[in-house]
C-alpha cells in the first residue's frame, strides 16, 4: 500500500492513463477547414515530356498545390522550391500527399527537373487550364470574398498554397511564408491521416 501513496507511482499511473486516452480524445476533436468547392476534373500535360496528367489519377491523394506564372521569376522559383520541401515533411505518410504545380505556358523552362513520383509539374493550353482555374476562382471567392482572376498569372497572386482533400475538395489557401507553408503541410497531413 505504500507504493500507492508514492507520488511518483501515482504520477506514472496518471501519465499512462492520460497518454493512452489522448489519441482517442484527439480524434474526436480533430477538424479540418470545411470544403470550399471541388477542384473539378482536368487534363493537363507534365513538364517532363508532355505526359498527360489527369485529375482522376490523383483522386484519393491529398494535393498541396501552387501556381507558377510566366515568366517564373526568382520569387516564383523560391516558392516552388519551398513547396518541394513539403515532400520531406510528408514522407512518413507514403503516397498519400502529392504536390501539384500548375505552370503557365512559357514558365516550364524555369521549373524543369523538380518533378518526381509525388510532385506533378503540369501546364496546358488556355482551354485546358480554364476549367481548373474556374474552380479555384470559385473556391477563393467562397474563402476570401474577392475575385482571384482567370489566368495562371492572376492566380499566382493568391496565397501560395492550396490544399485539396482526397475527395477533390479545396479545403483552404495558405500564405507564402514559413508559417503559411507549415500550416498548409499540417492541414495536408491531417487530411491524409484522417477522413475529415
Amino acid at each position: 500500500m505504500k507504493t500507492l501513496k508514492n507520488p511518483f507511482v501515482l504520477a506514472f499511473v496518471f501519465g499512462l492513463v492520460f497518454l493512452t486516452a489522448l489519441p482517442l480524445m484527439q480524434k474526436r476533436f480533430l477538424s479540418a477547414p470545411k470544403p470550399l468547392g471541388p477542384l473539378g476534373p482536368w487534363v493537363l500535360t507534365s513538364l517532363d515530356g508532355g505526359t498527360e496528367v489527369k485529375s482522376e489519377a490523383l483522386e484519393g491523394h491529398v494535393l498541396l498545390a501552387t501556381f507558377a506564372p510566366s515568366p517564373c521569376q526568382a520569387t516564383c522559383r523560391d516558392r516552388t522550391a519551398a513547396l518541394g520541401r513539403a515532400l520531406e515533411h510528408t514522407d512518413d505518410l507514403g503516397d498519400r500527399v502529392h504536390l501539384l504545380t500548375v505552370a503557365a505556358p512559357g514558365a516550364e523552362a524555369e521549373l524543369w527537373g523538380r518533378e518526381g513520383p509525388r510532385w506533378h509539374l503540369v501546364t496546358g493550353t488556355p482551354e485546358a487550364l480554364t476549367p481548373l482555374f474556374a474552380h479555384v476562382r470559385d473556391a477563393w471567392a467562397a474563402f476570401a470574398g474577392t475575385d482571384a482572376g482567370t489566368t495562371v498569372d492572376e492566380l499566382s497572386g493568391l496565397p501560395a498554397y492550396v490544399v485539396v482533400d482526397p475527395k477533390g475538395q479545396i479545403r483552404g489557401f495558405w500564405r507564402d511564408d514559413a508559417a503559411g507553408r507549415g500550416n498548409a503541410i499540417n492541414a495536408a497531413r491531417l487530411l491524409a491521416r484522417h477522413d475529415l
Side-chain angles (χ1 to χ4, degrees):
M1 290 315 253
K2 283 185 179 182
T3 315
L4 292 177
K5 293 182 181 179
N6 185 331
F8 296 108
V9 172
L10 291 175
F12 175 77
V13 170
F14 176 75
L16 185 64
V17 170
F18 180 75
L19 291 175
T20 302
L22 185 62
L24 300 171
M25 293 182 333
Q26 281 179 328
K27 181 128 172 82
R28 251 189 102 157
F29 298 105
L30 283 176
S31 65
K34 299 280 184 227
L36 298 169
L39 188 58
W42 47 266
V43 179
L44 298 173
T45 52
S46 67
L47 302 186
D48 66 354
T51 309
E52 234 181 35
V53 179
K54 297 182 179 182
S55 55
E56 299 159 3
L58 298 175
E59 282 178 9
H61 301 287
V62 175
L63 296 179
L64 189 53
T66 191
F67 301 95
S70 176
C72 185
Q73 306 278 347
T75 305
C76 165
R77 289 192 298 272
D78 291 346
R79 179 179 15 180
T80 304
L83 175 70
R85 290 194 290 276
L87 290 174
E88 303 163 19
H89 300 291
T90 57
D91 276 343
D92 62 310
L93 299 172
D95 193 38
R96 292 187 221 158
V97 177
H98 284 238
L99 308 183
L100 177 69
T101 299
V102 180
E108 299 95 334
E110 296 100 341
L111 300 171
W112 276 39
R114 297 181 185 272
E115 65 282 335
R118 292 194 305 129
W119 192 357
H120 311 279
L121 281 89
V122 296
T123 191
T125 64
E127 295 78 25
L129 292 167
T130 297
L132 173 71
F133 294 162
H135 289 288
V136 173
R137 185 185 66 237
D138 292 345
W140 175 255
F143 178 76
T146 61
D147 187 15
T150 56
T151 67
V152 175
D153 293 339
E154 291 169 329
L155 290 173
S156 67
L158 293 177
Y161 305 106
V162 181
V163 176
V164 181
D165 71 20
K167 295 173 184 164
Q169 294 291 315
I170 297 171
R171 290 298 190 104
F173 298 81
W174 281 266
R175 293 190 182 281
D176 182 18
D177 57 25
R181 188 167 47 256
N183 289 333
I185 291 168
N186 286 336
R189 290 182 60 80
L190 181 69
L191 290 165
R193 293 179 72 186
H194 305 284
D195 186 22
L196 299 173

